[in-house]
Structures are given as C-alpha cells and as structure tokens.
Amino acid sequence: MLVLSVVSLRFAKNNKDNRAAVHDLGLASASLSVEATSRGLSVHQMIGILPDNARAVYQIPEHYETWTAMAIGYKADPALMPDDLKTRDLAPRQRKPLKDFVFANQWGKASPLVTKT
Ligand SMILES: Cc1cc2nc3c(=O)[nH]c(=O)nc-3n(C[C@H](O)[C@H](O)[C@H](O)COP(=O)(O)O)c2cc1C
C-alpha cells in the first residue's frame, strides 16, 4: 500500500494556523510504524515525493499539504531487489550517538544523562 500523508495547516475549530501539523504527522507516522511492525508489516517513509502532483491528481484543497508518503507491505525476498537497494537494505543500521543531539544547558553541549556510562 502506498500512503500519502497530508497535513492540515489550519485548525478545523477556528481556522488559525496549525504550527503543530508537521509534529503531529511525525507522531502519527511513528505510531503507525510501531503498530504495523507489531503486525509483521514493514513501513518505509519517504519525503522524496512530488506534492504538487499529488495535489493535482487527488484534488487536495488549499491549506492541506502532502508532506510525506509511506510504503507499507510485507518484506520481499532481498534476492528480488536491485543490487543498490539490496546493499542498502541489508547494511547494518547506523544511528547517531545520543550525545550528538541530546543537549543540556547550551546548544551543542551533550547532556550528562547521555554521557555517563
Ligand atoms: C521522514 C522520513 C522521510 C524519508 N524519506 C525517504 C525518501 O524519500 N526515500 C527513501 O528512500 N528513504 C527515505 N527515508 C528513510 C527510510 O524510510 C528508512 O527510514 C531508511 O531507509 C532506514 O531504514 P530502517 O528504518 O529500516 O532502518 C525517510 C525516513 C523518514 C523518517
């Protein structure tokens, strides 16, 4: 399944700007990913999409923005994948160390919560 994630940039109740829209989309996407994974599905989130095309094809109204997309499905046999995608998918995942983005007191200063061992 290919899902387009669309945010409303205005609150329905008062039509004011909704600065939390993208934050909420992230939360919803994370919740969906956890639930899908617990059901044996895989989720691949993508921002490399063409929002203007999505608006035209699906007639998405003004004040709504297509922000991201997700492919949701069952993992295929890696042998069926093109070599570049196979290499990427089978590579060990690398995550930034927490000290690089969990700060305390000043931007860029690692929090003792993540530097103590
Ligand atoms: C918000 C967001 C946007 C992303 N956009 C793309 C994208 O446009 N194309 C892509 O191939 N991967 C994109 N990714 C990365 C993949 O969804 C995935 O997280 C990455 O391949 C790492 O795989 P893993 O989650 O299995 O470790 C994006 C991830 C996030 C969270």
Side-chain angles (χ1 to χ4, degrees), residues 9-47:
L9 299 175
R10 301 270 174 91
F11 285 111
K13 62 182 176 196
N14 58 16
N15 210 34
K16 288 192 172 166
D17 286 350
N18 178 6
R19 291 188 57 239
V22 181
H23 169 270
D24 294 347
L25 171 60
L27 285 178
S29 303
S31 302
L32 182 149
S33 298
V34 169
E35 179 64 28
T37 304
S38 81
R39 295 180 186 217
L41 289 154
S42 285
V43 179
H44 189 90
Q45 301 185 52
M46 295 168 279
I47 200 156

Side-chain angles (χ1 to χ4, degrees), residues 36-71:
T37 304
S38 81
R39 295 180 186 217
L41 289 154
S42 285
V43 179
H44 189 90
Q45 301 185 52
M46 295 168 279
I47 200 156
I49 61 169
L50 300 170
D52 292 343
N53 289 17
R55 187 183 299 287
V57 169
Y58 297 105
Q59 297 167 41
I60 297 168
E62 218 186 324
H63 306 314
Y64 290 85
E65 291 286 339
T66 305
W67 216 270
T68 51
M70 293 181 244

Side-chain angles (χ1 to χ4, degrees), residues 82-109:
D83 282 344
D84 55 336
L85 290 182
K86 196 189 316 175
T87 305
R88 190 174 101 167
D89 203 56
L90 295 178
R93 301 303 194 252
Q94 304 217 326
R95 304 294 182 212
K96 256 189 196 177
L98 293 176
K99 67 176 177 48
D100 287 1
F101 60 91
V102 179
F103 306 144
N105 301 323
Q106 188 187 327
W107 182 261
K109 300 278 182 204

